[in-house]
Amino acid sequence: VKKTPAKRKSATPVVKPKGKLVIVESPTKAKAIGRYLGSGYTVKSSMGHVRDLPKSTLGVDVDADFTPKYLVPREKNKTIKELKSSVQAAKELILATDPDREGEAIAWHLVQATEPGDRPVSRVVFHEITPEAVQEAMRHPREIDMALVDAQQARRVLDRLVGYSVSPLLWKKVKSGLS
């Protein structure tokens, strides 16, 4: 009896994109919103910010128009890996982070960190977690508002510049360890 060789599995399985992925900030919101949207959607949580300026350096290139240098903090690596995998398995990415400048920036950082490629990406906002509000938001997707992202980035860069400049002065003149 001649044995046929076993088929080898591919090292990277090909996943055909399906459904829509919605990313929110909070795991609690993700559960509720998942119930409101139904089976055509997968809802995941970023658990807040996913990128930030490095803690060990200024993280702002003052010679290049104060360009921030973002990185994924070590404690967010697992979250980003999971979200990136979910994005690759989806046909479409919908960002439903909070409706303020922080939420808008988190949405932008999610796109940067998860690299959706040519998948459609949209932004939805709602001010309450009810079936009606979520469904209404889904009927009115938009693009990420870069004016809000820029406002949050300007605030973050200014906080960093002032913090790095003023904190050492406070330590010398007032009390060590002040921020």
Side-chain angles (χ1 to χ4, degrees), residues 110-123:
L110 283 164
V111 170
Q112 302 303 307
T114 62
E115 303 169 354
D118 60 356
R119 282 166 189 72
V121 176
S122 59
R123 172 90 167 101

Side-chain angles (χ1 to χ4, degrees), residues 1-141:
V1 176
K2 186 177 180 183
K3 288 187 175 182
T4 55
K7 290 184 181 179
R8 291 194 312 182
K9 292 184 179 180
S10 171
T12 52
V14 177
V15 177
K16 186 176 179 182
K18 60 182 178 188
K20 297 178 182 184
L21 173 65
V22 179
I23 303 178
V24 299
E25 289 179 53
S26 153
T28 305
K29 287 180 188 177
K31 287 179 185 176
I33 292 166
R35 286 192 307 269
Y36 301 155
L37 292 177
S39 64
Y41 294 84
T42 300
V43 184
K44 300 279 185 178
S45 167
S46 72
M47 300 199 293
H49 286 272
V50 295
R51 295 194 324 164
D52 197 6
L53 300 174
K55 292 182 180 182
S56 59
T57 65
L58 182 62
V60 177
D61 188 345
V62 294
D63 295 325
D65 289 331
F66 298 92
T67 303
K69 297 177 185 177
Y70 293 111
L71 56 78
V72 175
R74 188 174 304 128
E75 64 272 11
K76 289 292 185 165
N77 282 337
K78 182 179 177 188
T79 300
I80 287 300
K81 184 177 180 181
E82 290 172 2
L83 290 175
K84 201 174 201 178
S85 176
S86 295
V87 167
Q88 297 307 310
K91 282 186 180 177
E92 181 178 342
L93 174 59
I94 301 168
L95 301 159
T97 51
D98 292 352
D100 55 13
R101 72 174 180 226
E102 291 292 325
E104 206 73 23
I106 290 170
W108 179 76
H109 283 288
L110 283 164
V111 170
Q112 302 303 307
T114 62
E115 303 169 354
D118 60 356
R119 282 166 189 72
V121 176
S122 59
R123 172 90 167 101
V124 298
V125 295
F126 36 81
H127 299 277
E128 59 185 5
I129 311 297
T130 63
E132 298 79 17
V134 171
Q135 293 293 337
E136 181 65 17
M138 292 300 192
R139 286 191 289 273
H140 301 284

